[in-house]
Amino acid sequence: MSDIPHTTFLDEVAALPACGKINECIQCGVCSGSCSTATHWEYPPRKVIAMVRAGMKDELLKSNSIWFCVSCYLCTARCPRDIKPANIVHGLESIAIKEGYKPPTTTTTMYRSFAQSIVDHGRVYEFGFMLKYFLRTNPFAALKMLPMAIQLFRHGRMPLAPKQVKGKEELTTIINKMGEGGDR
Amino acid sequence: MKYYAYYPGCSMEATGAPVEMSIHAIAKPLDMQFIELEDWTCCGSSPYAGVDKFKAIGITARTLAQAEKTGLDLVTPCSSCFTILHETNDLLKEDHRLADRVRGALAEVGLAYNGTARVRHVVEVLYNDLGPDAIAAKVVRPLTGLRVACYHGCQQVRPSYGFDDPEYPDWLDKMAAALGASPVNFPLKARCCGSSLVISEPATAVELIHKLLENASENGAQAMITTTCPLCHLALDGYQHAVNSKYRTKYNLPALAITQAIAFALGLDFKTSGLNGNITSPKKLLEPFMTAQPEQAKPETTAA
Ligand code: SF4
Ligand code: SF4
């Protein structure tokens, strides 16, 4: 099965970890009704699932939907069919990032800065990854964050240098090896 | 003495530092030992899963494999780490093909994944392995009459790992009551704080934090007692100013992580309890308990 190339958008999504039950969704809407941030989504979670099944890849991945997911898992805890919408949403995010979609949000850049921090240091260095994010998106927005940064620093909550972790090399090896297997 | 393999998670080294201090401060008096996993790395959290699902699972699996080697329960204070570690562990036990792929990657660095680690949350460990009664027995500085809203957050209780109620949990309430405090009704106690969007979509995150502060305060809370999650704690402790300037409100509700509240009630000082690190200072609110309590508490301590 692993040698058959993806045929549809639905296959591509269903092949991702913990996304395999997407076909069993009964479109009841409990996920959308529960979602912490649904009012911000162009297409709320139930619709996201319907669009995957209808093959509406471009419309979906060009929209701001999925990027507002705060991983509250209300959808997942309440879904009557155990679909795990939160996992599907994060799976869709990874497809969008890999395939270079440009949705109208800077959360994509935040994710990438976060991931880069893991690769660079083995652990997320909060201050560094936020700085990188602001430099890549809107350096002026960083000024707005300055009072918060000062507060954190004053309260001993913002170290000015990352820790160096030996496990970083191991992590890089694991990441590369996992990358070799492709997306199924 | 109870022993645990401890995984702090990245935030505990920075924004979560005050909560981290309190966890280590209460461990000894409560006869627990949290042994930090040597040379641990990031769990990947939601953002890495949003960048590459498969690589993210590999990252998480390193920590699971490290924990297995210790033979101890893997305990984390961060609700995001807890969910990611628990979810990945469950997924790898179900999905054999994925597990084989992970084993291949881990073998390259001399690690093995067998699925034997038990992933736990600090709050759950305090509640189940110790329990409110055992905690109450050690209280020397009760928070008598302090009205608190207990914030459990999302990933401590969801998706559900049989840990408290996913809709209306009350373990923090029971532990707060064990400290002498009076938990108030708090309907939004397990709704999201929006932390994951606080950098890239701050307006949305601040909107969610506002709802929580509003709900706690409407119900008469003088303070909040939060989960040990550094993200939840920072959202409630650190973003009150942002909420106030956006919504023209005047919230000044100290947010104590449950472990900070326990540390204080056990008689530890502000600094050791990590309370000096809180941005919304709890000093004024807690001072009366420092001075007035010893007399009140005396008869109980002599009786014990
Ligand atoms: S709650 Fe579950 S079954 Fe209902 S629409 Fe959402 S994903 Fe589908
Ligand atoms: S996990 Fe994401 S999609 Fe699900 S309810 Fe929460 S915010 Fe909405």
Side-chain angles (χ1 to χ4, degrees), chain A residues 35-37 41 45 69-75 86:
Chain A
C35 183
S36 295
T37 54
W41 301 41
C69 173
V70 283
S71 306
C72 72
Y73 289 89
L74 276 167
C75 55

Side-chain angles (χ1 to χ4, degrees), chain B residues 5-303:
Chain B
Y6 184 66
Y7 178 80
C10 306
S11 291
M12 287 315 238
E13 297 190 322
T15 48
V19 184
E20 178 76 350
M21 270 180 98
S22 65
I23 292 170
H24 293 296
I26 63 170
K28 205 174 165 199
L30 296 179
D31 292 325
M32 305 173 115
Q33 202 170 331
F34 295 114
I35 307 160
E36 190 165 321
L37 273 188
E38 205 181 317
D39 203 29
W40 56 269
T41 43
C42 179
C43 75
S45 195
S46 306
Y48 208 109
V51 172
D52 191 310
K53 270 258 178 191
F54 289 94
K55 291 178 182 173
I57 286 167
I59 291 183
T60 316
R62 178 176 187 264
T63 299
L64 293 169
Q66 278 184 310
E68 283 180 12
K69 282 206 293 192
T70 69
L72 299 169
D73 286 357
L74 174 62
V75 179
T76 179
C78 172
S79 300
S80 178
C81 299
F82 170 69
T83 292
I84 296 283
L85 289 163
H86 208 302
E87 187 176 78
T88 305
N89 207 19
D90 288 354
L91 181 67
L92 291 176
K93 281 187 234 173
E94 256 168 48
D95 188 334
H96 299 293
R97 205 164 134 238
L98 188 62
D100 283 343
R101 185 163 161 188
V102 164
R103 282 193 191 99
L106 291 177
E108 300 273 312
V109 296
L111 284 170
Y113 173 81
N114 301 301
T116 54
R118 183 169 170 222
V119 181
R120 305 182 65 188
H121 193 290
V122 166
V123 171
E124 184 261 328
V125 164
L126 288 172
Y127 186 83
N128 282 329
D129 292 9
L130 212 60
D133 293 345
I135 296 171
K138 304 219 167 170
V139 169
V140 297
R141 201 190 266 157
L143 302 170
T144 314
L146 185 69
R147 294 189 308 278
V148 293
C150 296
Y151 180 69
H152 295 68
C154 306
Q155 298 185 0
Q156 181 186 296
V157 291
R158 283 189 306 272
S160 187
Y161 299 121
F163 168 8
D164 211 340
D165 188 274
E167 299 281 349
Y168 206 67
D170 68 356
W171 288 0
L172 285 176
D173 298 69
K174 287 182 181 152
M175 288 196 276
L179 305 178
S182 308
V184 301
N185 183 34
F186 184 26
L188 299 192
K189 56 162 66 165
R191 299 313 288 255
C192 190
C193 70
S195 272
S196 67
L197 291 180
V198 88
I199 303 300
S200 59
E201 298 288 350
T204 306
V206 168
E207 177 190 318
L208 296 178
I209 300 168
H210 172 234
K211 283 187 193 161
L212 299 176
L213 293 171
E214 183 181 53
N215 194 237
S217 143
E218 274 170 3
N219 283 286
Q222 299 165 282
M224 303 184 90
I225 295 220
T226 74
T227 165
T228 50
C229 176
L231 308 167
C232 297
H233 182 255
L234 176 64
L236 292 170
D237 169 49
Y239 281 84
Q240 296 193 23
H241 182 75
V243 168
N244 288 340
S245 53
K246 185 170 175 201
Y247 293 93
R248 297 168 194 269
T249 46
K250 289 197 180 122
Y251 294 117
N252 181 24
L253 268 184
L256 281 69
I258 181 68
T259 44
Q260 292 185 310
I262 294 175
F264 181 81
L266 292 182
L268 301 175
D269 62 25
F270 267 83
K271 187 163 181 263
T272 321
S273 308
L275 290 166
N276 283 348
N278 286 20
I279 291 170
T280 305
S281 175
K283 276 211 172 107
K284 242 192 167 153
L285 186 77
L286 294 180
E287 247 151 30
F289 297 96
M290 299 189 77
T291 47
Q293 290 309 318
E295 283 94 350
Q296 282 181 24
K298 239 180 218 157
E300 282 171 45
T301 35
T302 40

Side-chain angles (χ1 to χ4, degrees), chain A residues 22 24-32 34 45-47 49 53 75-76 78-85 88:
Chain A
I22 185 164
E24 292 168 38
C25 165
I26 52 168
Q27 290 288 296
C28 66
V30 163
C31 49
S32 293
S34 304
R46 178 197 63 81
K47 236 179 193 168
I49 289 175
R53 300 204 297 200
C75 55
T76 303
R78 293 177 181 172
C79 171
R81 304 287 289 168
D82 193 26
I83 307 299
K84 301 187 168 63
I88 293 176

